[in-house]
Amino acid sequence: MNTQSPLSADRMHAVTPETRDLVDLVLDYSRRRILSTDTPLDKPLPEHELRRLAGQTVSEGGMGAERALAVFEHVLAPACITTDHPQYLSFIPTAPTKAATAFDLVVSASAVYGGSWLEGSGAVYAENQVLSFLAAEFGLPATAGGVFVQGGTLGNLSALVAARDHARADGRSPSDRWVIVCSAEAHSSVASAARVMDVDVVPVSPGESGVLTGEAVRPALEEYGDAVFAVVATGGSTNFGIVDDIASIAALKDDFPFWLHVDGAYGLAGMLSPLARPRFAGVEHADSVIVDPHKWLFAPFDACALIYRDPESGRRAHTQHAEYLDTLTDAAEWSPSDYAIHLTRRARGLPFWFSLASHGAAAYRDAVTASLRLAERIATEIERRDGFRLVRKPQLSVVVFERDGWTREDYALWSARLLDEQRAFVTPSSHAGRPNTRFAILNPLTTFEDLVAILDTM
Ligand SMILES: *Cc1c(COP(=O)(O)O)cnc(C)c1O
């Protein structure tokens, strides 16, 4: 037992000179990090190395805030890749605005509860304004609504659960198993949702272009009939940024009773730019959509906007009932907890709200347009270069390309060297069995020259 410290149970919570110092320490660090312009890319360390450098950090007595923060700053943080670095071009990067990042601290500082109107009406009001803004962008009716969930995976699952409930409420049932129809290039989280729900996925080949069409989907609907409770159209595939032909898929709703879910986790933000907006025609017919602000809407992790055309179908599917919750669920007020698979929730839409409210939508349109332009420009450069091959023309801001003659091993060694030398984080990928690599571009600080310099290393 540490006999030097006061033993009162409130010592971690009381406002004392020590806690003031601790808060200053953490806020000072946060301020430096948010405003830093030269945070290196950094890279992962093996566990034995972290053990050697950080040692055992958790103990009965504690190491004190100063030391703990030093361990974070000098050992742990450098072992985390800087995902908002302009040369982070892998997977789907993140690039939160300074406003959104700074306000993330406020969400914690205010201990806001985002689950119910009763407890968090102000926060819920602001989040709902953002959801309404997005719904209007996507052409959904003014009555559309939903909730910010942790990520696209949970958003897709929650939407698909609501879709199946809707089919059941409609009196439909499969003769064998429930089916989700989607593109063979749909995100892995759709298959993951199907596993959780114990339903089947029928993947439909989108053909050479990667764009799933209604024509390709129709035979699956004819074959599986009433068992198909949902069709998932992808609004910007993760690997290529390809947008399915949502309008032709939506048109099938005239003949078949499926729920149309649009997975726009990465790409739907593209609708904010007039350059990409036409590609998403038909999304206004969706029964549910998702888009991740932590991707191309410049918010920090972790936030996915899940929006239902008819929010009531989401509420019916997801509201939890318990004696201690009756006071919430009996109320007619809008409680975000009721619209997805979760209960306690951080008001995770607020960092995005603050940034959007501060800067205005036009700034977002410009930022999305800039990514689209840069993707097009570097794609043209790749096409022009000897020894390089563009795998597909980019529709959004992902550029996939090959270096002639390179094997999987070549890409892997090159990628590791780039990270090792702290030049860039560009990982190997593949398509139809052929190795390639890709630039996922959404950080407004990424420049054409940065990308050309990376090509020059190949
Ligand atoms: C990223 C992504 C997801 C998964 O979203 P998470 O936030 O990572 O859970 C789903 N679908 C698409 C198209 C994505 O790009």
Side-chain angles (χ1 to χ4, degrees):
M1 195 182 290
N2 185 343
T3 49
Q4 262 129 40
S5 314
L7 290 175
S8 64
D10 70 353
R11 74 189 169 98
M12 296 190 291
H13 294 78
V15 178
T16 64
E18 289 73 26
T19 49
R20 270 186 224 280
D21 286 350
L22 180 153
V23 170
D24 284 346
L25 205 63
V26 170
L27 291 182
D28 285 349
Y29 171 80
S30 301
R31 189 170 189 286
R32 271 187 286 126
R33 174 62 183 86
I34 293 171
L35 298 179
S36 154
T37 53
D38 61 357
T39 306
L41 254 175
D42 293 323
K43 56 182 180 184
L45 288 181
E47 191 181 348
H48 65 83
E49 196 57 13
L50 285 169
R51 196 167 285 286
R52 187 178 69 77
L53 295 168
Q56 179 60 36
T57 56
V58 175
S59 65
E60 280 301 312
M63 65 168 79
E66 209 164 331
R67 260 188 73 200
L69 188 63
V71 168
F72 179 77
E73 179 170 1
H74 302 296
V75 179
L76 306 179
C80 298
I81 294 187
T82 302
T83 54
D84 59 349
H85 193 286
Q87 268 78 56
Y88 183 117
L89 299 157
S90 292
F91 313 118
I92 301 290
T94 191
T97 66
K98 299 303 176 199
T101 301
F103 203 77
D104 206 30
L105 299 178
V106 175
V107 178
S108 293
S110 315
V112 168
Y113 179 65
S116 72
W117 188 267
L118 174 67
E119 292 150 286
S121 63
V124 177
Y125 173 83
E127 286 190 318
N128 284 354
Q129 288 222 316
V130 179
L131 293 170
S132 293
F133 162 78
L134 292 173
E137 274 312 293
F138 306 151
L140 293 170
T143 46
V147 58
F148 288 95
V149 296
Q150 171 266 329
T153 298
L154 194 59
N156 282 338
L157 175 61
S158 298
L160 290 167
V161 166
R164 181 174 61 182
D165 267 33
H166 177 78
R168 280 181 176 145
D170 224 25
R172 277 179 280 147
S173 61
S175 52
D176 187 11
R177 284 168 64 77
W178 286 111
V179 164
I180 299 167
V181 174
C182 63
S183 167
E185 296 195 20
H187 189 263
S188 50
S189 55
V190 175
S192 159
R195 278 195 303 278
V196 173
M197 295 170 69
D198 194 25
V199 302
D200 290 342
V201 171
V202 172
V204 175
S205 167
E208 197 45 41
S209 68
V211 178
L212 188 71
T213 62
E215 195 187 350
V217 169
R218 181 179 281 277
L221 296 177
E222 282 164 351
E223 180 174 351
Y224 292 94
D226 258 12
V228 180
F229 67 91
V231 175
V232 178
T234 304
S237 63
T238 320
N239 210 11
F240 279 99
I242 286 177
V243 182
D244 287 341
D245 182 351
I246 303 170
S248 69
I249 297 169
L252 296 170
K253 282 161 78 64
D254 291 344
D255 300 334
F256 303 92
F258 63 89
W259 171 294
L260 176 60
H261 174 63
V262 175
D263 175 2
Y266 148 63
L268 208 47
M271 279 191 88
L272 269 67
S273 168
L275 291 187
R277 191 175 175 81
R279 292 198 187 279
F280 295 89
V283 70
E284 68 276 12
H285 301 298
D287 294 291
S288 55
V289 306
I290 64 157
V291 61
D292 279 357
H294 65 223
K295 290 178 174 171
W296 208 4
L297 288 171
F298 316 111
F301 303 131
D302 43 17
C304 164
L306 161 62
I307 303 175
Y308 301 96
R309 164 179 296 276
D310 168 21
E312 193 49 30
S313 52
R315 204 182 62 81
R316 269 196 307 269
H318 293 300
T319 301
Q320 294 187 23
H321 294 281
E323 285 164 345
Y324 85 104
L325 294 174
D326 282 347
T327 184
L328 297 178
T329 47
D330 289 349
E333 293 153 344
W334 186 282
S335 286
S337 289
D338 292 345
Y339 295 89
I341 302 160
H342 57 194
L343 184 62
T344 298
R345 71 177 287 276
R346 176 177 178 80
R348 58 168 57 81
L350 288 186
F352 179 33
W353 163 77
F354 179 71
S355 182
L356 184 61
S358 300
H359 296 308
Y364 282 77
R365 296 187 202 288
D366 289 351
V368 171
T369 298
S371 312
L372 292 164
R373 287 233 160 87
L374 180 53
E376 199 178 299
R377 194 165 165 216
I378 197 65
T380 307
E381 169 67 19
I382 289 166
E383 266 184 316
R384 196 187 63 72
R385 279 196 174 215
D386 284 342
F388 286 79
R389 194 179 81 87
L390 197 60
V391 178
R392 278 171 176 161
K393 263 200 185 315
Q395 287 192 350
L396 300 177
S397 68
V398 180
V399 182
V400 185
F401 59 98
E402 295 178 1
R403 183 79 176 91
D404 286 351
W406 274 29
T407 61
R408 237 164 249 280
E409 168 100 294
D410 292 325
Y411 287 103
L413 287 173
W414 164 78
S415 169
R417 201 182 70 234
L418 279 183
L419 186 60
D420 226 40
E421 294 170 357
Q422 294 284 284
R423 298 174 67 118
F425 184 52
V426 186
T427 48
S429 186
S430 69
H431 176 62
R434 289 170 66 100
N436 61 34
T437 190
R438 55 195 270 292
F439 291 152
I441 301 164
L442 57 74
N443 191 323
L445 299 179
T446 306
T447 66
F448 179 70
E449 290 69 31
D450 291 338
L451 301 177
V452 167
I454 295 170
L455 295 179
D456 288 343
T457 64
M458 300 182 81

